[in-house]
Amino acid sequence: MICSDGDPAGVPAAHRAVDRILPGLKSGYSFGFVFLPDGKDPDDLITEGGVSAFARELAGAMPLIEVVWSREVDAARIDTPERRAALEKGLDDLVRTISDERVRRGYQLDIRLRLSNLFYRQARDRRMAGGGGGRPGQGADRGAGQIPSGQARGGDLPDSSLFGNERTLCGLCLRYPDLLERHVERVSQARFGDTLHARFRDELCRIATELQDVPVSGFFETLDNRFYQILSEALDGGEGAGAVGARPAPRFSDLLQRLPILRHEPPADFVEDLFCHYLDTLEIRTLEQELEEEMNALGDGLDEAEWERVRAQSQDLARRREECARDEQDLAERARSLRGSRAAVSGPTVQAGSSGAAGAGIRLPGGALASPQR
């Protein structure tokens, strides 16, 4: 954690630190930046407000990626293709200094998603203002007309647990792009019941695979407009989002509401297990659908080969369900332990008597512990 004054002298010092930090980043480690109130240092805060005052500042630390992003974007103009390309190249050059390949690839995908959203918003705003900046491109007519939130768009109703599971997985892919990269094949093959979620997933996987070597300025306008519905919901934090010296904008607020445990910055292995658990849940639903379709197609009078095939599918489904239930219980216990360790530092946050996944600050997708969110 790096503490710096939020004044004109402190911010440049933090920016200089970024260039020294990036080359040494390693998997499982990062830096947070705390911009203290003008004229204050940690001793002043503790003297005036106690340890809790300093702890509140630490809780509002900006992640390293946010400081990198704000430093480059705040100083850039993107009103021409050349300037957009210059911003993209500057960010790419910075990220390429990261020696750890896994961390570097995660940062690259994160930056590319942010640039897609930034360029899309800028082109959209200029069109709406009549400035003629950026034509709609091929993607504007694909999925034209945004789908209202809360409207049934596929096989699952918006208030169903499966709708919430899909939405949560979409948010996890954006918040943890390194996990998307590692599990992109499973994500791309998952069967989504909601049209908006499915189109978002398709475009997200395209960016992570076939478009990974294409400049963002060259493809952002070709993406389905529905992709930007979820991307903007997750990344747009309101006016002044990402400003250095200010508290982080409420990005991923929907995801954090669904998974409060993420507010406690859980370790990477926990987040990956949680990510895979949501994928497991969607895959189990697919197995259930395939078994039901198989049974409906066969009808009555199964022969021996058909019966053996159905029995094998049923056994595989039962095994996956049992594994998923065990994983859910394990995740809930780990989440409670994590919250307990954080409470020892910052004070209790779990009400007495809380138990299960909900009491652990985690709303898991399956079983009785599920708590569907719109």
Side-chain angles (χ1 to χ4, degrees):
M1 196 76 71
I2 297 177
C3 293
S4 177
D5 291 341
D7 58 21
V11 172
H15 284 173
R16 289 192 297 272
V18 166
D19 296 318
R20 297 194 298 272
I21 289 170
L22 286 174
L25 284 182
K26 296 180 180 180
S27 298
Y29 298 89
S30 189
F31 284 82
F33 287 77
V34 178
F35 294 93
L36 300 176
D38 289 352
K40 302 288 186 181
D41 61 25
D43 285 341
D44 294 330
L45 290 173
I46 294 173
T47 299
E48 295 175 6
V51 174
S52 61
F54 186 50
R56 284 193 296 271
E57 295 296 329
L58 295 180
M62 290 182 70
L64 175 59
I65 183 66
E66 297 290 350
V67 178
V68 171
W69 175 257
S70 63
R71 186 184 81 169
E72 300 303 309
V73 172
D74 290 350
R77 293 179 60 186
I78 56 172
D79 53 342
T80 67
E82 295 81 9
R83 286 170 173 163
R84 287 193 291 270
L87 172 61
E88 184 171 359
K89 183 181 184 303
L91 284 163
D92 188 57
D93 289 346
L94 269 177
V95 172
R96 286 182 183 276
T97 66
I98 300 173
S99 57
D100 187 299
E101 181 181 4
R102 175 175 288 188
V103 176
R104 182 173 65 250
R105 289 178 64 86
Y107 266 65
Q108 286 172 331
L109 182 54
D110 192 318
I111 291 294
R112 287 166 69 79
L113 292 170
R114 291 169 183 256
L115 285 171
S116 298
N117 189 52
L118 177 66
F119 293 167
Y120 173 82
R121 288 173 52 204
Q122 188 254 5
R124 178 199 62 193
D125 292 346
R126 286 176 64 88
R127 287 195 301 272
M128 292 177 63
R135 59 186 177 81
Q138 299 175 14
D141 293 330
R142 298 168 57 200
Q146 292 191 338
I147 303 173
S149 177
Q151 175 180 328
R153 297 179 290 266
D156 298 320
L157 295 175
D159 59 350
S160 74
S161 61
L162 293 176
F163 178 96
N165 296 347
E166 292 175 2
R167 193 65 157 221
T168 299
L169 183 60
C170 289
L172 287 170
C173 286
L174 287 175
R175 187 173 173 90
Y176 305 99
D178 56 319
L179 296 182
L180 169 64
E181 276 229 320
R182 288 206 290 279
H183 302 282
V184 67
E185 185 173 355
R186 288 184 68 189
V187 173
S188 66
Q189 294 176 356
R191 184 185 294 185
F192 280 55
D194 182 82
T195 303
L196 175 60
H197 297 161
R199 294 303 300 141
F200 172 81
R201 183 275 315 277
D202 292 345
E203 298 290 49
L204 188 62
C205 290
R206 282 185 64 214
I207 294 174
T209 55
E210 64 183 86
L211 296 176
Q212 62 179 327
D213 296 322
V214 179
V216 174
S217 54
F219 71 72
F220 79 94
E221 288 186 319
T222 72
L223 300 176
D224 192 314
N225 274 352
R226 289 170 290 190
F227 168 75
Y228 289 106
Q229 272 190 258
I230 294 181
L231 185 67
S232 295
E233 177 187 289
L235 298 186
D236 290 346
E239 295 299 322
V244 172
R247 291 204 179 277
R251 297 183 176 187
F252 299 104
S253 57
D254 180 72
L255 177 64
L256 294 176
Q257 182 180 356
R258 296 175 188 277
L259 291 175
I261 189 64
L262 299 182
R263 301 180 188 275
H264 296 271
E265 298 297 331
D269 62 333
F270 176 89
V271 176
E272 183 161 15
D273 289 345
L274 184 62
F275 185 92
C276 291
H277 188 63
Y278 274 90
L279 278 172
D280 288 339
T281 302
L282 295 182
E283 290 169 353
I284 287 172
R285 180 183 64 174
T286 298
L287 291 175
E288 293 170 343
Q289 292 173 338
E290 290 175 347
L291 179 59
E292 182 179 0
E293 292 167 359
E294 178 83 3
M295 294 296 294
N296 290 337
L298 292 174
D300 299 328
L302 301 181
D303 61 30
E304 185 174 351
E306 292 170 338
W307 168 249
E308 287 298 328
R309 185 170 66 252
V310 169
R311 185 174 69 169
Q313 286 180 279
S314 300
Q315 290 174 342
D316 184 43
L317 177 58
R319 177 186 59 80
R320 291 291 301 272
R321 283 172 172 166
E322 290 177 1
E323 291 174 351
C324 195
R326 287 196 298 269
D327 291 342
E328 178 176 323
Q329 184 61 37
D330 177 65
L331 284 166
E333 292 173 358
R334 290 162 66 188
R336 280 195 295 273
S337 176
L338 179 64
R339 286 177 63 94
S341 64
R342 297 294 189 269
V345 176
S346 59
T349 57
V350 182
Q351 293 182 355
S354 296
S355 62
I362 177 172
R363 296 184 175 92
L364 294 170
L369 297 180
S371 179
Q373 296 270 311
R374 290 180 70 102

PDB file of all heavy atoms in Angstrom, residues 79-101:
ATOM      1  N   ASP A  79     -10.047  12.715 -29.677  1.00  0.00           N
ATOM      2  CA  ASP A  79     -11.020  13.230 -30.633  1.00  0.00           C
ATOM      3  C   ASP A  79     -10.668  12.905 -32.080  1.00  0.00           C
ATOM      4  O   ASP A  79     -11.415  13.250 -32.985  1.00  0.00           O
ATOM      5  CB  ASP A  79     -11.177  14.745 -30.462  1.00  0.00           C
ATOM      6  CG  ASP A  79      -9.844  15.482 -30.516  1.00  0.00           C
ATOM      7  OD1 ASP A  79      -8.798  14.816 -30.341  1.00  0.00           O
ATOM      8  OD2 ASP A  79      -9.851  16.701 -30.733  1.00  0.00           O
ATOM      9  N   THR A  80      -9.537  12.240 -32.319  1.00  0.00           N
ATOM     10  CA  THR A  80      -9.179  11.826 -33.674  1.00  0.00           C
ATOM     11  C   THR A  80      -8.671  10.388 -33.618  1.00  0.00           C
ATOM     12  O   THR A  80      -8.216   9.917 -32.558  1.00  0.00           O
ATOM     13  CB  THR A  80      -8.070  12.712 -34.272  1.00  0.00           C
ATOM     14  OG1 THR A  80      -6.849  12.491 -33.551  1.00  0.00           O
ATOM     15  CG2 THR A  80      -8.458  14.184 -34.225  1.00  0.00           C
ATOM     16  N   PRO A  81      -8.727   9.679 -34.750  1.00  0.00           N
ATOM     17  CA  PRO A  81      -8.196   8.305 -34.755  1.00  0.00           C
ATOM     18  C   PRO A  81      -6.737   8.240 -34.339  1.00  0.00           C
ATOM     19  O   PRO A  81      -6.317   7.294 -33.647  1.00  0.00           O
ATOM     20  CB  PRO A  81      -8.389   7.875 -36.215  1.00  0.00           C
ATOM     21  CG  PRO A  81      -9.523   8.694 -36.716  1.00  0.00           C
ATOM     22  CD  PRO A  81      -9.375  10.016 -36.030  1.00  0.00           C
ATOM     23  N   GLU A  82      -5.952   9.233 -34.740  1.00  0.00           N
ATOM     24  CA  GLU A  82      -4.538   9.224 -34.394  1.00  0.00           C
ATOM     25  C   GLU A  82      -4.334   9.349 -32.886  1.00  0.00           C
ATOM     26  O   GLU A  82      -3.457   8.685 -32.311  1.00  0.00           O
ATOM     27  CB  GLU A  82      -3.807  10.370 -35.110  1.00  0.00           C
ATOM     28  CG  GLU A  82      -3.786  10.251 -36.634  1.00  0.00           C
ATOM     29  CD  GLU A  82      -5.088  10.723 -37.280  1.00  0.00           C
ATOM     30  OE1 GLU A  82      -5.938  11.311 -36.559  1.00  0.00           O
ATOM     31  OE2 GLU A  82      -5.246  10.497 -38.490  1.00  0.00           O
ATOM     32  N   ARG A  83      -5.130  10.193 -32.253  1.00  0.00           N
ATOM     33  CA  ARG A  83      -4.991  10.366 -30.801  1.00  0.00           C
ATOM     34  C   ARG A  83      -5.496   9.140 -30.037  1.00  0.00           C
ATOM     35  O   ARG A  83      -4.935   8.781 -28.996  1.00  0.00           O
ATOM     36  CB  ARG A  83      -5.730  11.629 -30.361  1.00  0.00           C
ATOM     37  CG  ARG A  83      -4.982  12.903 -30.759  1.00  0.00           C
ATOM     38  CD  ARG A  83      -5.814  14.146 -30.558  1.00  0.00           C
ATOM     39  NE  ARG A  83      -5.008  15.350 -30.788  1.00  0.00           N
ATOM     40  CZ  ARG A  83      -5.511  16.551 -31.006  1.00  0.00           C
ATOM     41  NH1 ARG A  83      -6.834  16.725 -31.030  1.00  0.00           N
ATOM     42  NH2 ARG A  83      -4.712  17.587 -31.203  1.00  0.00           N
ATOM     43  N   ARG A  84      -6.534   8.504 -30.545  1.00  0.00           N
ATOM     44  CA  ARG A  84      -6.987   7.268 -29.913  1.00  0.00           C
ATOM     45  C   ARG A  84      -5.894   6.204 -30.022  1.00  0.00           C
ATOM     46  O   ARG A  84      -5.621   5.469 -29.063  1.00  0.00           O
ATOM     47  CB  ARG A  84      -8.290   6.772 -30.551  1.00  0.00           C
ATOM     48  CG  ARG A  84      -9.509   7.600 -30.176  1.00  0.00           C
ATOM     49  CD  ARG A  84     -10.795   6.894 -30.554  1.00  0.00           C
ATOM     50  NE  ARG A  84     -10.974   6.817 -32.003  1.00  0.00           N
ATOM     51  CZ  ARG A  84     -11.594   7.748 -32.724  1.00  0.00           C
ATOM     52  NH1 ARG A  84     -12.093   8.831 -32.120  1.00  0.00           N
ATOM     53  NH2 ARG A  84     -11.739   7.610 -34.024  1.00  0.00           N
ATOM     54  N   ALA A  85      -5.278   6.120 -31.194  1.00  0.00           N
ATOM     55  CA  ALA A  85      -4.197   5.150 -31.382  1.00  0.00           C
ATOM     56  C   ALA A  85      -3.015   5.460 -30.470  1.00  0.00           C
ATOM     57  O   ALA A  85      -2.369   4.540 -29.940  1.00  0.00           O
ATOM     58  CB  ALA A  85      -3.754   5.150 -32.844  1.00  0.00           C
ATOM     59  N   ALA A  86      -2.726   6.738 -30.265  1.00  0.00           N
ATOM     60  CA  ALA A  86      -1.613   7.123 -29.399  1.00  0.00           C
ATOM     61  C   ALA A  86      -1.882   6.723 -27.947  1.00  0.00           C
ATOM     62  O   ALA A  86      -0.973   6.241 -27.249  1.00  0.00           O
ATOM     63  CB  ALA A  86      -1.366   8.627 -29.502  1.00  0.00           C
ATOM     64  N   LEU A  87      -3.115   6.929 -27.483  1.00  0.00           N
ATOM     65  CA  LEU A  87      -3.464   6.523 -26.122  1.00  0.00           C
ATOM     66  C   LEU A  87      -3.325   5.013 -25.973  1.00  0.00           C
ATOM     67  O   LEU A  87      -2.753   4.524 -24.984  1.00  0.00           O
ATOM     68  CB  LEU A  87      -4.898   6.955 -25.801  1.00  0.00           C
ATOM     69  CG  LEU A  87      -5.470   6.423 -24.481  1.00  0.00           C
ATOM     70  CD1 LEU A  87      -4.653   6.916 -23.291  1.00  0.00           C
ATOM     71  CD2 LEU A  87      -6.942   6.819 -24.323  1.00  0.00           C
ATOM     72  N   GLU A  88      -3.850   4.284 -26.937  1.00  0.00           N
ATOM     73  CA  GLU A  88      -3.766   2.828 -26.865  1.00  0.00           C
ATOM     74  C   GLU A  88      -2.316   2.354 -26.854  1.00  0.00           C
ATOM     75  O   GLU A  88      -1.950   1.458 -26.094  1.00  0.00           O
ATOM     76  CB  GLU A  88      -4.532   2.216 -28.040  1.00  0.00           C
ATOM     77  CG  GLU A  88      -4.592   0.699 -27.998  1.00  0.00           C
ATOM     78  CD  GLU A  88      -5.517   0.113 -29.037  1.00  0.00           C
ATOM     79  OE1 GLU A  88      -6.144   0.883 -29.808  1.00  0.00           O
ATOM     80  OE2 GLU A  88      -5.620  -1.131 -29.088  1.00  0.00           O
ATOM     81  N   LYS A  89      -1.474   2.951 -27.696  1.00  0.00           N
ATOM     82  CA  LYS A  89      -0.068   2.550 -27.743  1.00  0.00           C
ATOM     83  C   LYS A  89       0.643   2.874 -26.431  1.00  0.00           C
ATOM     84  O   LYS A  89       1.443   2.080 -25.926  1.00  0.00           O
ATOM     85  CB  LYS A  89       0.657   3.242 -28.897  1.00  0.00           C
ATOM     86  CG  LYS A  89       2.110   2.808 -29.045  1.00  0.00           C
ATOM     87  CD  LYS A  89       2.799   3.523 -30.188  1.00  0.00           C
ATOM     88  CE  LYS A  89       4.228   2.971 -30.368  1.00  0.00           C
ATOM     89  NZ  LYS A  89       5.031   3.091 -29.136  1.00  0.00           N
ATOM     90  N   GLY A  90       0.352   4.047 -25.857  1.00  0.00           N
ATOM     91  CA  GLY A  90       0.982   4.409 -24.599  1.00  0.00           C
ATOM     92  C   GLY A  90       0.643   3.437 -23.485  1.00  0.00           C
ATOM     93  O   GLY A  90       1.522   3.017 -22.711  1.00  0.00           O
ATOM     94  N   LEU A  91      -0.632   3.047 -23.401  1.00  0.00           N
ATOM     95  CA  LEU A  91      -1.048   2.079 -22.384  1.00  0.00           C
ATOM     96  C   LEU A  91      -0.427   0.712 -22.646  1.00  0.00           C
ATOM     97  O   LEU A  91       0.017   0.026 -21.725  1.00  0.00           O
ATOM     98  CB  LEU A  91      -2.574   1.979 -22.355  1.00  0.00           C
ATOM     99  CG  LEU A  91      -3.297   3.140 -21.671  1.00  0.00           C
ATOM    100  CD1 LEU A  91      -4.766   3.171 -22.051  1.00  0.00           C
ATOM    101  CD2 LEU A  91      -3.141   3.048 -20.153  1.00  0.00           C
ATOM    102  N   ASP A  92      -0.396   0.320 -23.916  1.00  0.00           N
ATOM    103  CA  ASP A  92       0.178  -0.980 -24.252  1.00  0.00           C
ATOM    104  C   ASP A  92       1.662  -1.025 -23.930  1.00  0.00           C
ATOM    105  O   ASP A  92       2.167  -2.028 -23.404  1.00  0.00           O
ATOM    106  CB  ASP A  92      -0.053  -1.277 -25.735  1.00  0.00           C
ATOM    107  CG  ASP A  92       0.341  -2.696 -26.101  1.00  0.00           C
ATOM    108  OD1 ASP A  92      -0.197  -3.642 -25.499  1.00  0.00           O
ATOM    109  OD2 ASP A  92       1.210  -2.861 -26.983  1.00  0.00           O
ATOM    110  N   ASP A  93       2.380   0.057 -24.216  1.00  0.00           N
ATOM    111  CA  ASP A  93       3.805   0.106 -23.897  1.00  0.00           C
ATOM    112  C   ASP A  93       4.037  -0.024 -22.391  1.00  0.00           C
ATOM    113  O   ASP A  93       4.985  -0.702 -21.944  1.00  0.00           O
ATOM    114  CB  ASP A  93       4.421   1.410 -24.404  1.00  0.00           C
ATOM    115  CG  ASP A  93       4.539   1.450 -25.926  1.00  0.00           C
ATOM    116  OD1 ASP A  93       4.400   0.397 -26.572  1.00  0.00           O
ATOM    117  OD2 ASP A  93       4.730   2.554 -26.463  1.00  0.00           O
ATOM    118  N   LEU A  94       3.182   0.622 -21.598  1.00  0.00           N
ATOM    119  CA  LEU A  94       3.310   0.523 -20.143  1.00  0.00           C
ATOM    120  C   LEU A  94       3.101  -0.908 -19.665  1.00  0.00           C
ATOM    121  O   LEU A  94       3.885  -1.440 -18.876  1.00  0.00           O
ATOM    122  CB  LEU A  94       2.276   1.434 -19.476  1.00  0.00           C
ATOM    123  CG  LEU A  94       2.670   2.860 -19.136  1.00  0.00           C
ATOM    124  CD1 LEU A  94       1.471   3.595 -18.563  1.00  0.00           C
ATOM    125  CD2 LEU A  94       3.819   2.889 -18.145  1.00  0.00           C
ATOM    126  N   VAL A  95       2.032  -1.530 -20.142  1.00  0.00           N
ATOM    127  CA  VAL A  95       1.690  -2.874 -19.686  1.00  0.00           C
ATOM    128  C   VAL A  95       2.751  -3.880 -20.109  1.00  0.00           C
ATOM    129  O   VAL A  95       3.031  -4.850 -19.401  1.00  0.00           O
ATOM    130  CB  VAL A  95       0.297  -3.272 -20.216  1.00  0.00           C
ATOM    131  CG1 VAL A  95      -0.003  -4.731 -19.916  1.00  0.00           C
ATOM    132  CG2 VAL A  95      -0.782  -2.384 -19.585  1.00  0.00           C
ATOM    133  N   ARG A  96       3.376  -3.651 -21.256  1.00  0.00           N
ATOM    134  CA  ARG A  96       4.409  -4.580 -21.731  1.00  0.00           C
ATOM    135  C   ARG A  96       5.656  -4.582 -20.851  1.00  0.00           C
ATOM    136  O   ARG A  96       6.500  -5.480 -20.966  1.00  0.00           O
ATOM    137  CB  ARG A  96       4.791  -4.249 -23.170  1.00  0.00           C
ATOM    138  CG  ARG A  96       3.731  -4.656 -24.188  1.00  0.00           C
ATOM    139  CD  ARG A  96       4.172  -4.348 -25.611  1.00  0.00           C
ATOM    140  NE  ARG A  96       3.119  -4.673 -26.560  1.00  0.00           N
ATOM    141  CZ  ARG A  96       2.904  -5.896 -27.050  1.00  0.00           C
ATOM    142  NH1 ARG A  96       3.688  -6.898 -26.674  1.00  0.00           N
ATOM    143  NH2 ARG A  96       1.936  -6.120 -27.913  1.00  0.00           N
ATOM    144  N   THR A  97       5.790  -3.605 -19.955  1.00  0.00           N
ATOM    145  CA  THR A  97       6.927  -3.614 -19.032  1.00  0.00           C
ATOM    146  C   THR A  97       6.744  -4.622 -17.910  1.00  0.00           C
ATOM    147  O   THR A  97       7.704  -4.915 -17.187  1.00  0.00           O
ATOM    148  CB  THR A  97       7.155  -2.218 -18.423  1.00  0.00           C
ATOM    149  OG1 THR A  97       6.036  -1.860 -17.588  1.00  0.00           O
ATOM    150  CG2 THR A  97       7.337  -1.162 -19.505  1.00  0.00           C
ATOM    151  N   ILE A  98       5.530  -5.165 -17.748  1.00  0.00           N
ATOM    152  CA  ILE A  98       5.275  -6.163 -16.704  1.00  0.00           C
ATOM    153  C   ILE A  98       5.933  -7.472 -17.126  1.00  0.00           C
ATOM    154  O   ILE A  98       5.626  -8.024 -18.186  1.00  0.00           O
ATOM    155  CB  ILE A  98       3.767  -6.365 -16.494  1.00  0.00           C
ATOM    156  CG1 ILE A  98       3.102  -5.048 -16.074  1.00  0.00           C
ATOM    157  CG2 ILE A  98       3.502  -7.450 -15.459  1.00  0.00           C
ATOM    158  CD1 ILE A  98       1.589  -5.110 -15.994  1.00  0.00           C
ATOM    159  N   SER A  99       6.835  -7.986 -16.316  1.00  0.00           N
ATOM    160  CA  SER A  99       7.601  -9.176 -16.698  1.00  0.00           C
ATOM    161  C   SER A  99       6.809 -10.465 -16.527  1.00  0.00           C
ATOM    162  O   SER A  99       7.003 -11.412 -17.292  1.00  0.00           O
ATOM    163  CB  SER A  99       8.896  -9.249 -15.878  1.00  0.00           C
ATOM    164  OG  SER A  99       8.608  -9.260 -14.483  1.00  0.00           O
ATOM    165  N   ASP A 100       5.920 -10.538 -15.544  1.00  0.00           N
ATOM    166  CA  ASP A 100       5.112 -11.740 -15.312  1.00  0.00           C
ATOM    167  C   ASP A 100       4.067 -11.860 -16.419  1.00  0.00           C
ATOM    168  O   ASP A 100       3.185 -11.007 -16.560  1.00  0.00           O
ATOM    169  CB  ASP A 100       4.441 -11.651 -13.941  1.00  0.00           C
ATOM    170  CG  ASP A 100       3.725 -12.932 -13.543  1.00  0.00           C
ATOM    171  OD1 ASP A 100       2.783 -13.324 -14.264  1.00  0.00           O
ATOM    172  OD2 ASP A 100       4.091 -13.519 -12.525  1.00  0.00           O
ATOM    173  N   GLU A 101       4.147 -12.934 -17.221  1.00  0.00           N
ATOM    174  CA  GLU A 101       3.274 -13.059 -18.392  1.00  0.00           C
ATOM    175  C   GLU A 101       1.801 -13.117 -18.018  1.00  0.00           C
ATOM    176  O   GLU A 101       0.960 -12.499 -18.669  1.00  0.00           O
ATOM    177  CB  GLU A 101       3.646 -14.300 -19.208  1.00  0.00           C
ATOM    178  CG  GLU A 101       2.790 -14.466 -20.462  1.00  0.00           C
ATOM    179  CD  GLU A 101       3.137 -15.696 -21.266  1.00  0.00           C
ATOM    180  OE1 GLU A 101       4.008 -16.473 -20.819  1.00  0.00           O
ATOM    181  OE2 GLU A 101       2.529 -15.887 -22.342  1.00  0.00           O
TER     182      GLU A 101
END
